[in-house]
Amino acid sequence: MADTLSITDNRTGKVYEVPIKDDTIRATDLRKIKVTDDDFGLMTYDPAFMNTAACRSAITFIDGDKGILEYRGYPIEQLAEHSTYLETAYLLLYGELPTQSELDTWTFHITHHTILHENIKNLMDGFRYNAHPMGMLISTVAALSTFYPDAKEIGNPEARRKQIYRLIAKVITIAGFGYRHITGMPFAYPDNDLSYAGNFLNMMFKMTEVRYKPNPALEHALDVLFILHADHEQNCSTSAMRSIGSSHVDPYSALAGAAAALYGPLHGGANEEVIKMLTEIGSIQNIPAFIKRVQDGEVKLMGFGHRVYKNYDPRAKIIKRVADEVFEVTGKNPLLKIALELERIALSDDYFVKRKLYPNVDFYSGLIYQAMKFPMDMFPVLFAIGRTSGWLAQWQEMLLDTDQKISRPRQIYSGAARRDYVNLAERP
Ligand code: SDX
């Protein structure tokens, strides 16, 4: 049997052979299917890309039915257990776990790019006192493109590497500065003797002490959370990064667009929405009434469901374990019992079982962030910090993929047929 699809066009009786490769057919192969020679030929119609592979990628593998997630072939469970975020970021970007000297060099460069140009402080001072930190992150990352004109040299591996260092390094400083701006606190500068997660906690929570000392359990928990959020194949924000990057714009502008996509409540903004939802439910007694509202289509159960996972999100399982580690230090988050009971009820309720809706990465992460004293509007920012390395890995892979060119989907035109202009005086 050949690896081809035989397509009979019943409008003409013609039969077409279309090759099958990697369980896909090339959409452009359908263009030869026409009724008359001057037809454009067939296209596929796939709103939200429910069944369209936009690229080949060697970075992340997900099996949604089995709840499997692997970065460059390494199971997420093992990376969460044994790796660090910076090591995982290296793995995503360069395809292999680093040697000790590669890791030292990588860590050195990222550590020594955490400082922001002082003008950025003035830029951030322009935001209102209650600006959402995600809006500040998006704007400030885009503004960085004006500080590094060499970022436009996207074809130069060394220039790309330098921007990769800068973005992974500076995203925690931007996040920390944003938080300090809205709390009216003086900006806490990077302390390069600290780990990546420790340095971020320092820039968030340092008070008057000479040097901030992160709590090791919270520092480790945050590092694991960054690992879990690092990449997730062609999700909404990553496909935005690829699409914007395909115009060959600099990576700061592309990453600002990716962060903007992540900000949405259906994507990375869901972790903030979960806490709002659990707070609104308020008690275990109120869960049945809330579930009824979900079943009536009135509200969504935030933190549940996934386009790919039709099983438990493996990251949610790990996050539940990290939560125990954090609650040891901070005390249990009172919303935890509502979340656990909500999960128990939902997983036994036909509405959710039928639609294969399980907790996703956002269902429990907010409980940890809240217990660690992060304000709710910082939650999507924490997601963006982890995802920065994944966005950059996918961006670089897209640039080096000879199959890729500027992203420009087609459409089905459903508008008015051609018509002539009507002068104002003659309009009804
Ligand atoms: C992330 O893509 C990624 O990889 C994303 C991410 C990553 O790491 O990058 O994993 C991170 O974004 C996780 C998802 C966070 N979002 C939320 O938790 C928001 C709540 N979830 C939903 O909005 C929804 O599940 C999505 C957006 C996550 C997925 O939506 P899909 O795949 O488009 O599914 P759908 O909306 O077509 O839903 C199918 C059915 C519908 O019901 P019917 O029309 O068949 O009656 O399931 C229902 C939906 O109404 N449904 C939900 C639901 N999610 C889907 N009903 C109630 N609550 C929900 N959460």
Side-chain angles (χ1 to χ4, degrees), residues 79-140:
L79 292 169
E81 180 76 26
H82 304 296
S83 189
T84 63
Y85 174 68
L86 285 189
E87 180 181 75
T88 298
Y90 183 98
L91 170 68
L92 289 171
L93 273 149
Y94 300 108
E96 297 297 334
L97 289 170
T99 60
Q100 186 60 58
S101 67
E102 285 166 340
L103 183 59
D104 293 346
T105 305
W106 173 249
T107 305
F108 176 87
H109 284 295
I110 288 173
T111 304
H112 293 82
H113 277 88
T114 47
I115 287 184
L116 283 170
H117 190 293
E118 278 293 286
N119 285 10
I120 291 286
K121 272 177 54 185
N122 310 333
L123 181 98
M124 295 189 90
D125 277 340
F127 290 109
R128 276 174 59 86
Y129 71 94
N130 61 350
H132 195 291
M134 201 58 182
M136 287 195 268
L137 180 126
I138 293 161
S139 326
T140 308

Side-chain angles (χ1 to χ4, degrees), residues 15-323:
V15 179
Y16 301 84
E17 294 300 314
V18 175
I20 296 171
K21 191 171 177 223
D22 302 320
D23 285 333
T24 60
I25 59 169
R26 289 187 80 96
T28 45
D29 284 348
L30 300 177
R31 290 281 298 282
K32 61 191 174 192
I33 301 175
K34 302 180 177 190
V35 176
T36 63
D37 287 348
D38 56 4
D39 275 3
F40 182 78
L42 287 196
M43 290 193 291
T44 55
Y45 174 54
D46 189 13
F49 308 117
M50 298 287 282
N51 191 42
T52 293
C55 65
R56 285 178 186 286
S57 179
I59 298 171
T60 291
F61 172 73
I62 301 174
D63 180 324
D65 293 329
K66 300 195 185 91
I68 289 173
L69 170 58
E70 294 164 357
Y71 293 161
R72 298 286 188 177
Y74 294 99
I76 192 68
E77 295 79 4
Q78 294 182 25
L79 292 169
E81 180 76 26
H82 304 296
S83 189
T84 63
Y85 174 68
L86 285 189
E87 180 181 75
T88 298
Y90 183 98
L91 170 68
L92 289 171
L93 273 149
Y94 300 108
E96 297 297 334
L97 289 170
T99 60
Q100 186 60 58
S101 67
E102 285 166 340
L103 183 59
D104 293 346
T105 305
W106 173 249
T107 305
F108 176 87
H109 284 295
I110 288 173
T111 304
H112 293 82
H113 277 88
T114 47
I115 287 184
L116 283 170
H117 190 293
E118 278 293 286
N119 285 10
I120 291 286
K121 272 177 54 185
N122 310 333
L123 181 98
M124 295 189 90
D125 277 340
F127 290 109
R128 276 174 59 86
Y129 71 94
N130 61 350
H132 195 291
M134 201 58 182
M136 287 195 268
L137 180 126
I138 293 161
S139 326
T140 308
V141 166
L144 283 181
S145 67
T146 66
F147 287 79
Y148 305 112
D150 58 326
K152 286 187 167 59
E153 296 166 38
I154 48 115
N156 172 345
E158 274 323 299
R160 280 202 309 269
R161 184 181 280 261
K162 191 141 193 203
Q163 312 324 319
I164 288 168
Y165 289 150
R166 285 173 170 149
L167 273 159
I168 294 175
K170 296 180 194 305
V171 72
I172 54 172
T173 313
I174 293 169
F177 280 17
Y179 172 71
R180 305 288 279 210
H181 172 78
I182 51 181
T183 49
M185 294 280 293
F187 290 161
Y189 281 74
D191 175 345
N192 290 343
D193 291 339
L194 296 173
S195 74
Y196 188 79
N199 208 355
F200 173 58
L201 288 169
N202 156 57
M203 291 189 276
M204 283 288 299
F205 300 121
K206 182 178 182 301
M207 302 309 279
T208 56
E209 68 273 38
V210 175
R211 301 198 78 165
Y212 178 82
K213 285 192 177 29
N215 176 301
L218 301 186
E219 181 181 8
H220 174 256
L222 194 56
D223 199 65
V224 172
L225 285 161
F226 288 156
I227 291 173
L228 296 176
H229 286 82
D231 193 60
H232 213 238
E233 57 132 284
Q234 305 311 313
N235 57 83
C236 176
S237 55
T238 295
S239 42
M241 182 81 186
R242 281 176 167 262
S243 179
I244 298 168
S246 73
S247 72
H248 287 186
V249 75
D250 68 271
Y252 300 96
S253 306
L255 199 134
L262 186 75
Y263 191 9
L266 295 186
H267 192 9
N271 49 24
E272 187 179 346
E273 296 303 318
V274 167
I275 297 297
K276 288 180 190 164
M277 173 186 76
L278 295 173
T279 307
E280 183 200 329
I281 292 172
S283 75
I284 286 183
Q285 293 70 24
N286 297 339
I287 291 177
F290 184 81
I291 293 274
K292 176 83 176 57
R293 290 177 60 204
V294 175
Q295 291 162 337
D296 295 344
E298 210 185 301
V299 288
K300 283 193 180 298
L301 182 50
M302 299 311 277
F304 260 67
H306 201 277
R307 175 63 55 79
V308 178
Y309 289 125
K310 300 308 171 192
N311 197 323
Y312 214 98
D313 186 331
R315 299 167 296 178
K317 276 187 197 150
I318 299 167
I319 286 178
K320 272 171 92 170
R321 283 206 301 276
V322 170

Side-chain angles (χ1 to χ4, degrees), residues 320-359:
K320 272 171 92 170
R321 283 206 301 276
V322 170
D324 296 340
E325 193 182 316
V326 168
F327 296 153
E328 278 290 306
V329 175
T330 62
K332 266 201 189 337
N333 185 322
L335 294 176
L336 177 66
K337 59 182 187 319
I338 299 177
L340 290 168
E341 181 61 7
L342 188 54
E343 175 190 342
R344 187 190 67 76
I345 295 175
L347 295 188
S348 59
D349 180 292
D350 190 46
Y351 176 93
F352 300 93
V353 173
K354 203 167 62 178
R355 292 169 175 79
K356 298 186 176 179
L357 302 177
Y358 292 88

